[in-house]
Every structure is written in structure tokens, then in C-alpha cells.
Amino acid sequence: LWRLGYCARLLKTNHFRTAASNTSFPAVWMLLAQHSGRIPGLFVVVKKNTYFTMPETVEDKTNPELYLPHPGVRGMTLLNREAFKRTVVVPALKVQKEIVHSVLKSLKQSVLQRPGLKRVVEDPEDEDSRFVILDPHKVPEFSLGESEQQVLKQLNVHPEVSQYQLELTYENFKSEEILRAVLPEGQEVTSGFSRVGHIAHLNLRDHQLPYRHLIGQVIMDKNPGITCVVNKTNIIDSTYRNFEMEVLAGENNLVTKVKENNISYELDFSKVYWNPRLSTEHGRIVELLKAGDVLFDVFAGVGPFAIPAARRKCRVFANDLNPESYSWLLHNCKLNKVDTKVKAFNMDGRDFLRGPVREELSKELPLLKEEQKTAFHIVMNLPALAVEFLDVFRHLLVGEPCSPAALPTVHCYGFSKHSDPARDIQERAEATLGTSLAGRCSTFLVRNVAPNKEMLCLSFQIPADVLYKRPCP
């Protein structure tokens, strides 16, 4: 501060006439720099005899928000791509076109790396020269460091930096930058989505709804292959586990194709349940299965457990109450050529357990010999309600218990908002089964669904005293 005050006095006493007669700001800053050295926040023009003034809409070059869209787009609800244009001043290095590649290689830490922006542009005044655009955050004072200057001297390039006016358009901004510039300041910006084939699925907050059509268009513009953007309009509380949705942008075509764990599925996203975030969990359970095992999929959907299990040469019994899911399950079994290995049912989950599952277990379990290693797995992927279905296993079979190793293993999914979600889901399962699972179950955290809401998988072998009802003497 003292040095800056000293420079101001010099200006006032020794150079007043010069400053008054010559309004060139760079000359003033050059004088300040001579007496004060490096002054943070100010920069010296280093291109000979050429000066540029920074546009009023451009932030200071040390501002990390340098590449934000034009501030005039704030509050826009109908997308106007032209309104995002703005010009920023960035550092540039003038070099002969023959050595551009060498300069880029030598200054790779300082060269602009932003996707979508050219690092090399033509010089309108000299066809034999090019401008190499530098990163304003790496060259904040519009001058290169000593090491970079030494490299340039070895390449016979003058190390002085020019100011280049770079025009930015809608195409140059990322979706998050666009949405952050449009939505009110301080409000949460959602740029993430679930991709289901050509569909982008959003879960917008209430404060984002006025901008929903603009958000949908931006998501579609910035993600190749997305031709339809939808927003969920209510929670999944229907009998068939689907939800109402609104098409925000693009074509109104919700029949799509997806690929998960190298298996293709086709489905109508508006009528069945599909969550791409569960692909890892689908794979985890299928990896537990071996050829010859039997899988009962109580809430099968379109087949993300059933079809890969059938491809592992397991015998599969798959059920779903939703007629649409049942129809697409049959379709996907044929699509993946496992329709002869999957027996599909369109029943309520309880009826499925008390009918086909009980019938198959009653037939298979007594025939198992000690040396046989066939395992029975029951998947219950209905997190909102599956725990309540566990009471069906109480005395589901009649007779003498089979070998403990052959008892079916249940993989039951559930949600929990408890501070200890693993203990919570175990205690709820024990209450429904009427027995303790201590020491004979495992809990796997599948994913965080919402703040303080976890999705878990509880796996356990059904205790013999729960599964079997012994006949009276």
C-alpha cells in the first residue's frame, strides 16, 4: 500500500501533464509498474503498440468464473442460445505456424485446455503466424514465467504475450455452467441424470420446475444420443412400481433399449421400473450363482436378475405383478435366447411364493443328496415392501427339514432411514419371520437413495424351524 501511494504521488508531481494529455491507460500502468514492481490485480500490456480494453461484461482475469455465460441469461426460462455469447480477453502467444506443434508441446502446462475451444487460431494480419491461446488462470499476469521464457528463446520465439479477444458461445459452455448462470443465484443446480437408452431421466426440485423445459433442452444439447428428457412427477407408490413423468424436451418416445452387464433389454420406461444405478447390484447377486442353481425372482421386472442367471445355466422362475413388466420380461427372454430356461409368471408376490415356489421347493429339496451342491436363491427386490413379504416363509413347507446346506437363501431388499440401517433392516426382518437372524445373515449397502435414506440387501438362509412345519404324530 505504501508503494502504491508512492507511485500515486509520482504520477501527481512528475507526470501530471503527461497523464492529462495522454489518456492511454496502459501508459499509466506501465509507469506504476516501473516504480512498484508487480501489483496484484493489474496487468501490463506486452504486445507492442497494440492495446485492448476489456469489455464491461468480462470479469477480472483472475476470477475463476471467467468462462461463465453472459450474465444477461439469469432467469431465462425459454432457451435462447444466442444470449449466451460473450467475449473474454485471454493471453495469447504469437508464433510462426511451422513451430506451433513444438510450442504446444513445450508449454502444455500453460496452454488453454478447455474442451471445445481451439488452442491455435489464425492471425488475421499475418497468414504465416498463429496465435497460441494460453490459459488465463495459468498466466494471470499476462506474462510467462522464467522457465517458459527460456523454452521460447530456445525455439526463437519472442516471449511477449498478447491479449486476444476470445468469443464464447452456447456451444462452449458445459451444461452445469449454463444452468448455474440461468437459475437464481444460490439455488441448487441439477445437471445429473439417469440415462436409460436414449432417455435422460431427471428428478427436479421444486425451485427448478419453472426452468424445467430449458433444463431438458440443455441436457439434450450437451449429451449426444439423448433424444428425450423426462422428469419424474411423483414418487414410486403405485402397485406396479412405475411413476408418472413429463417429457421436458425431445421426442415423446419412451420405448427404449438399454445394455447392462453385456445383456440387452428393451422396455417402455413409462410403464415398467428400470434403474440403471442398480447394474452393479444385479451383477453382484448373479455372481453368487453357479450352473445348476435355482433362482426364484419374486419381483422380476423386465429381467435384470433372471436373464443373466439363465445365461449362467441356472433354472429360473421369474414373476412380476405388472402385466407390462411380465410382457417385456417374456420379450427380453426371447431377445437374449433364454426363453426356454426361464419360467415367467404374472402373479402377486405372495401368490408366487405360496404357489410355484412352494411347489418347486417341496419337489426338489427332499430329493437332494448330501453330495449335491444345488443352491436355491430367492431374490426379493421390492425395497419399499419386500420385508413385509417375509412372513410367507413361516411354515411354507411341511415335513422334515432338509440338509441345512440346502436351505434356500433369501436376498431381501429394503429402505432404511435409521441411524444404523443394517441393524434396522435385520430387526424388521426378524420381527416378520418370528425368529432371530443373529450370526446367520449379512447386510450389504446397495446405494444411498436420498439424504438419510439407504437401500440395503439382507441375505440369509431361511431357518429350518421357520420354513418347515412338522406334521403332527
Side-chain angles (χ1 to χ4, degrees):
L1 290 173
W2 176 87
R3 186 175 291 178
L4 184 60
Y6 171 68
C7 294
R9 289 195 297 274
L10 284 176
L11 281 172
K12 183 176 180 180
T13 57
N14 298 333
H15 302 279
F16 175 78
R17 292 180 181 177
T18 302
S21 60
N22 183 3
T23 57
S24 172
F25 278 98
V28 177
W29 295 130
M30 285 288 286
L31 179 63
L32 279 172
Q34 290 174 2
H35 290 281
S36 65
R38 183 179 177 184
I39 302 176
L42 304 176
F43 61 86
V44 179
V45 176
V46 292
K47 185 176 181 181
K48 295 181 180 179
N49 302 323
T50 305
Y51 304 105
F52 295 83
T53 57
M54 190 172 290
E56 293 181 357
T57 58
V58 178
E59 295 92 350
D60 184 88
K61 63 189 179 334
T62 60
N63 193 324
E65 298 181 348
L66 178 65
Y67 293 122
L68 284 183
H70 193 285
V73 302
R74 180 76 66 190
M76 177 188 295
T77 56
L78 183 63
L79 182 61
N80 177 8
R81 297 175 181 84
E82 290 295 315
F84 287 83
K85 284 185 178 179
R86 73 179 305 182
T87 301
V88 295
V89 176
V90 295
L93 196 65
K94 184 174 180 178
V95 301
Q96 293 297 306
K97 64 180 182 180
E98 293 83 6
I99 60 171
V100 165
H101 180 71
S102 299
V103 172
L104 289 174
K105 186 176 180 180
S106 301
L107 298 181
K108 59 183 179 180
Q109 298 299 326
S110 301
V111 172
L112 184 67
Q113 301 288 345
R114 186 176 175 86
L117 288 180
K118 293 182 178 180
R119 295 182 295 173
V120 180
V121 296
E122 294 183 356
D123 183 352
E125 300 177 357
D126 184 358
E127 62 179 14
D128 294 327
S129 299
R130 298 288 185 269
F131 280 114
V132 174
I133 308 299
L134 304 177
D135 188 336
H137 300 109
K138 302 290 181 61
V139 189
E141 303 294 332
F142 276 69
S143 62
L144 294 167
E146 289 293 332
S147 59
E148 289 90 348
Q149 293 187 33
Q150 291 297 327
V151 171
L152 293 177
K153 287 181 181 179
Q154 294 176 6
L155 296 171
N156 294 322
V157 176
H158 201 286
E160 58 187 16
V161 180
S162 303
Q163 295 186 16
Y164 183 84
Q165 295 198 24
L166 179 66
E167 184 180 72
L168 301 176
T169 66
Y170 173 82
E171 285 71 26
N172 300 130
F173 298 113
K174 303 173 185 177
S175 57
E176 185 175 351
E177 293 169 337
I178 292 173
L179 300 182
R180 195 175 299 281
V182 170
L183 268 65
E185 290 187 78
Q187 292 192 355
E188 180 186 1
V189 174
T190 298
S191 59
F193 58 89
S194 296
R195 181 164 185 169
V196 183
H198 67 277
I199 302 169
H201 171 218
L202 305 176
N203 291 323
L204 297 181
R205 310 285 186 183
D206 289 342
H207 70 272
Q208 298 164 339
L209 293 179
Y211 308 91
R212 62 189 184 278
H213 295 293
L214 180 144
I215 294 173
Q217 189 63 54
V218 171
I219 294 297
M220 194 165 68
D221 287 347
K222 298 297 179 178
N223 295 274
I226 295 292
T227 59
C228 177
V229 182
V230 300
N231 178 47
K232 183 174 70 173
T233 58
N234 66 349
I235 60 174
I236 303 173
D237 57 0
S238 65
T239 304
Y240 296 149
R241 286 205 302 168
N242 52 11
F243 46 78
E244 295 179 8
M245 61 183 69
E246 177 186 11
V247 177
L248 304 181
E251 60 185 2
N252 190 4
N253 175 21
L254 298 178
V255 175
T256 187
K257 299 179 180 180
V258 297
K259 196 166 187 177
E260 180 183 276
N261 300 327
N262 296 317
I263 297 177
S264 297
Y265 302 88
E266 295 180 355
L267 53 101
D268 185 336
F269 189 55
S270 66
K271 296 180 179 178
V272 304
Y273 179 79
W274 180 269
N275 191 338
R277 293 187 176 93
L278 296 178
S279 61
T280 301
E281 179 61 13
H282 295 153
R284 183 183 75 88
I285 295 297
V286 172
E287 283 295 319
L288 301 176
L289 308 177
K290 299 184 293 293
D293 286 353
V294 180
L295 173 68
F296 300 102
D297 195 350
V298 185
F299 312 105
V302 300
F305 286 113
I307 292 173
R311 293 186 62 172
R312 290 177 75 94
K313 299 182 179 180
C314 296
R315 289 189 295 124
V316 179
F317 297 78
N319 171 73
D320 202 281
L321 177 62
N322 183 354
E324 290 288 337
S325 296
Y326 171 72
S327 176
W328 285 107
L329 172 63
L330 294 176
H331 174 81
N332 288 314
C333 286
K334 291 181 180 178
L335 180 66
N336 290 280
K337 301 178 181 179
V338 294
D339 48 307
T340 60
K341 300 176 182 178
V342 177
K343 290 185 178 181
F345 301 86
N346 180 207
M347 307 171 66
D348 176 79
R350 291 181 180 274
D351 295 336
F352 175 65
L353 289 168
R354 289 172 175 154
V357 174
R358 173 160 55 185
E359 181 181 343
E360 192 66 21
L361 291 177
S362 298
K363 181 175 63 176
E364 294 283 340
L365 291 180
L367 300 178
L368 287 181
K369 298 178 181 179
E370 291 294 334
E371 64 273 12
Q372 289 182 315
K373 296 183 180 180
T374 300
F376 296 85
H377 293 263
I378 303 174
V379 174
M380 305 175 69
N381 185 19
L382 182 64
L385 297 171
V387 173
E388 300 176 14
F389 281 74
L390 294 178
D391 63 343
V392 176
F393 295 117
R394 289 157 63 175
H395 298 168
L396 182 66
L397 304 180
V398 176
E400 291 297 323
C402 64
S403 167
L407 291 169
T409 298
V410 174
H411 308 281
C412 180
Y413 291 85
F415 294 131
S416 176
K417 295 183 178 180
H418 197 274
S419 58
D420 187 349
R423 182 166 62 88
D424 173 52
I425 193 171
Q426 179 180 330
E427 290 179 349
R428 285 158 50 201
E430 290 173 338
T432 308
L433 289 168
T435 191
S436 173
L437 295 176
R440 45 184 178 178
C441 71
S442 63
T443 306
F444 183 81
L445 179 62
V446 177
R447 70 185 190 98
N448 177 257
V449 178
N452 301 319
K453 184 178 182 180
E454 309 291 344
M455 178 179 175
L456 305 98
C457 176
L458 179 71
S459 297
F460 61 92
Q461 276 192 300
I462 308 174
D465 57 343
V466 171
L467 183 62
Y468 282 92
K469 178 181 180 180
R470 300 193 179 186
C472 295

